[in-house]
Amino acid sequence: MNQLIVLGNGFDIHCGLRSRYSDFFLDRFNTLFCRDKDNVNQIEELEDSLAQERCKILSFISDVRSQLNFSPNDNNDCDYFEHYKEKFFSAGNDITRWDLFFLFADACVDRSINKYEWQDVESLIFDVISIALNANSTYKMNYAENVQIGLREDEGIKFFSKIVYYLSYTGHNEPEDIAAELLKELKKFEHIFAVYIVNQIDLNQTRKGYVDNAIKLYKQISKYNRSNKNSASGKIDVLSFNYSLDDRFKDILDKEIDDNRLNTWSNIHGIAHHEETPYYPAPIFGIDSHGILSKNSQSNFRISFTKAYRVIENEINEMRSSSGYAGQDLITIYGHSLGAADYSYFEAIFDENNLYHSDCKIEYYYYPGKNDQEKLIMRQQAITRLYNLLTDYGNSLSETHGYNILNKLNLENRLSVIPSE
């Protein structure tokens, strides 16, 4: 049997890695704005300090603006972020513009719809660059109807848009300058996240902790047993959306369980420890290209933030051992949110395997929850995510096939939604 395993962040979380964005921002905000408060477990515990920091930034921008001499017809602003960084942070501090975008998103996003949706990195990147580049787009986030920061009050989207303008401005209001600066800052932010991840991993520690858990989980989802580990009639490819384990994990698996089926292990968005092994590409964050690529010749600088563009720019494909994933009997998706930003990848995989006409099966593992109510909700959400992905894929096929692809897969018993243990 040929199996493609697609891994999302749920794999790392299951194995004990603190890789949720909420974990990262708790650590990051505590370091930057709260001077490493002790014994902090939830970001809500930092709220008073973060609110004070937002007020300080707004007051600082207001003070700087009051000192500028504006001509009536001039766009004569300055780089507020650099002034803020110079005044409040020591030389060499790694704070980025994106740290402040997320700091204000925490206040401007409507938490009643989805608590801490501001931590959705990909959606926020889309909104920030769309606002900064004055692109005509529907925002990905849900913003609060009313936001109050200090004495200032406004609609969430208006408040956030003003902040994005001030903190993305570099002294030149040309879109190419703004896009270049935001991309440069995003790479710094990605590096910070990479350091956060790599500090939690010791690949030499294989008999306990994260790596040991990863070996056990791989054995489970790859259907490993002693009789099939040396099977000559099957192979396994792993496509990981994570920044943690890479193809060196193959060597660990060879040593620990001697599974000859594992063919390739590819990290589509880079790897956290790229500085330790410089031939590995650095991690990237990115947005989906749907709705950005235009058919006319008008430049859209948001393209340079799409995942497809950044994979090419970062030379990730030069390091990947796989040239495609055709001929799969089973596609196993574990711990992946199936967010719209990754639909393009799954569309390509389904096309390679001629999903409508083949016998290829799909199984989707999801976190099941702890109590009965949570289990019911989690299962509904998992089925909905898979339903939305396949429905979107169906829309890319001919009208005859796309309309009933879900019914066809169900009829042929080619879909499974499985709670992870």
Side-chain angles (χ1 to χ4, degrees):
M1 180 182 71
N2 293 334
Q3 181 184 13
L4 170 64
I5 299 175
V6 181
L7 298 180
N9 191 39
F11 178 91
D12 280 345
I13 293 171
H14 185 101
C15 296
L17 204 66
R18 291 178 58 83
S19 54
R20 291 183 178 91
Y21 288 134
S22 56
D23 295 325
F24 167 69
F25 282 113
L26 173 62
D27 178 83
R28 182 67 176 159
F29 285 175
N30 191 23
T31 301
L32 283 177
F33 308 123
C34 306
R35 289 168 175 76
D36 293 314
K37 286 186 176 180
D38 295 330
N39 302 319
V40 176
N41 297 310
Q42 293 183 325
I43 205 161
E44 292 96 329
E45 298 173 47
L46 305 177
E47 188 52 46
D48 290 343
S49 297
L50 300 184
Q52 290 176 14
E53 188 68 25
R54 285 189 285 266
C55 289
K56 183 174 77 175
I57 293 170
L58 289 177
S59 296
F60 176 76
I61 291 174
S62 179
D63 291 343
V64 173
R65 282 179 58 81
S66 68
Q67 298 171 24
L68 295 176
N69 295 318
F70 287 100
S71 299
N73 298 319
D74 288 345
N75 186 7
N76 199 19
D77 245 325
C78 71
D79 193 328
Y80 297 100
F81 172 75
E82 286 298 332
H83 284 289
Y84 161 80
K85 181 178 179 180
E86 181 179 340
K87 180 171 181 178
F88 295 108
F89 290 86
S90 59
N93 186 281
D94 62 359
I95 189 170
T96 72
R97 297 175 197 266
W98 291 95
D99 291 303
L100 301 191
F101 294 146
F102 280 103
L103 175 65
F104 278 91
D106 178 27
C108 295
V109 167
D110 188 353
R111 297 187 184 186
S112 67
I113 295 177
N114 187 356
K115 190 174 184 181
Y116 292 134
E117 187 183 1
W118 61 272
Q119 294 168 353
D120 183 344
V121 168
E122 293 161 352
S123 294
L124 190 90
I125 292 172
F126 180 91
D127 282 6
V128 167
I129 62 173
S130 296
I131 293 168
L133 299 175
N134 198 28
N136 184 18
S137 294
T138 301
Y139 298 121
K140 302 286 188 182
M141 307 287 247
N142 297 299
Y143 293 90
E145 291 185 8
N146 185 270
V147 172
Q148 183 169 353
I149 300 177
L151 298 177
R152 299 167 178 83
E153 190 172 358
D154 209 336
E155 296 176 31
I157 184 58
K158 290 183 179 179
F159 219 132
F160 191 64
S161 296
K162 291 176 184 177
I163 285 298
V164 169
Y165 170 78
Y166 291 134
L167 297 179
S168 63
Y169 194 83
T170 63
H172 303 281
N173 203 24
E174 298 300 323
E176 57 266 34
D177 295 321
I178 295 173
E181 176 64 18
L182 291 183
L183 186 58
K184 182 185 76 173
E185 289 283 289
L186 183 59
K187 291 177 181 179
K188 294 178 183 177
F189 187 75
E190 290 163 347
H191 171 74
I192 293 161
F193 184 78
V195 171
Y196 170 78
I197 293 295
V198 80
N199 284 342
Q200 301 181 62
I201 300 174
D202 182 0
L203 291 178
N204 297 316
Q205 189 66 264
T206 61
R207 299 300 173 91
K208 65 179 182 179
Y210 169 72
V211 177
D212 180 52
N213 291 335
I215 294 171
K216 292 175 181 175
L217 187 52
Y218 166 81
K219 289 169 65 176
Q220 175 193 333
I221 59 182
S222 67
K223 282 76 173 170
Y224 171 90
N225 58 58
R226 294 185 177 221
S227 62
N228 72 5
K229 69 176 184 176
N230 295 316
S231 173
S233 61
K235 65 181 179 66
I236 294 174
D237 294 290
V238 175
L239 177 64
S240 177
F241 283 76
N242 300 333
Y243 310 104
S244 47
L245 300 172
D246 59 36
D247 60 3
R248 291 190 299 176
F249 190 56
K250 284 177 57 183
D251 298 332
I252 294 174
L253 289 171
D254 286 343
K255 179 181 178 181
E256 298 295 329
I257 64 174
D258 189 27
D259 188 359
N260 293 332
R261 299 172 302 156
L262 185 53
N263 181 48
T264 64
W265 186 295
S266 296
N267 296 77
I268 189 62
H269 293 150
I271 196 70
H273 58 256
H274 65 101
E275 289 193 324
E276 298 175 17
T277 52
Y279 52 90
Y280 279 87
I284 64 165
F285 298 141
I287 61 177
D288 186 45
S289 58
H290 283 96
I292 289 181
L293 301 177
S294 57
K295 296 181 180 179
N296 56 42
S297 59
Q298 184 178 359
S299 295
N300 191 334
F301 292 101
R302 293 182 298 171
I303 291 174
S304 59
F305 293 84
T306 62
K307 290 184 176 180
Y309 181 100
R310 302 220 50 217
V311 166
I312 297 171
E313 178 204 33
N314 220 30
E315 299 181 339
I316 289 176
N317 286 331
E318 304 300 318
M319 295 293 103
R320 293 178 61 232
S321 54
S322 173
S323 57
Y325 300 104
Q328 303 296 329
D329 300 301
L330 174 64
I331 298 173
T332 300
I333 306 170
Y334 190 99
H336 199 292
S337 64
L338 302 184
D342 292 322
Y343 277 8
S344 297
Y345 291 118
F346 288 102
E347 182 177 312
I349 291 169
F350 295 159
D351 280 345
E352 280 187 319
N353 288 278
N354 194 14
L355 187 61
Y356 188 90
H357 292 287
S358 72
D359 296 325
C360 180
K361 295 183 179 181
I362 298 174
E363 58 181 17
Y364 179 45
Y365 285 86
Y366 69 97
Y367 171 68
K370 297 179 180 179
N371 54 52
D372 289 343
Q373 182 179 8
E374 194 175 32
K375 287 179 180 178
L376 176 63
I377 294 172
M378 290 297 186
R379 184 162 184 82
Q380 288 178 335
Q381 290 178 347
I383 294 172
T384 300
R385 287 194 293 267
L386 185 60
Y387 177 91
N388 289 341
L389 169 64
L390 291 170
T391 300
D392 185 84
Y393 175 65
N395 292 335
S396 71
L397 304 176
S398 68
E399 184 175 345
T400 303
H401 292 158
Y403 182 73
N404 69 346
I405 187 170
L406 270 162
N407 291 328
K408 188 176 192 311
L409 292 172
N410 276 326
L411 186 65
E412 297 173 357
N413 196 22
R414 290 200 280 141
L415 282 183
S416 300
V417 180
I418 308 169
S420 58
E421 296 180 359

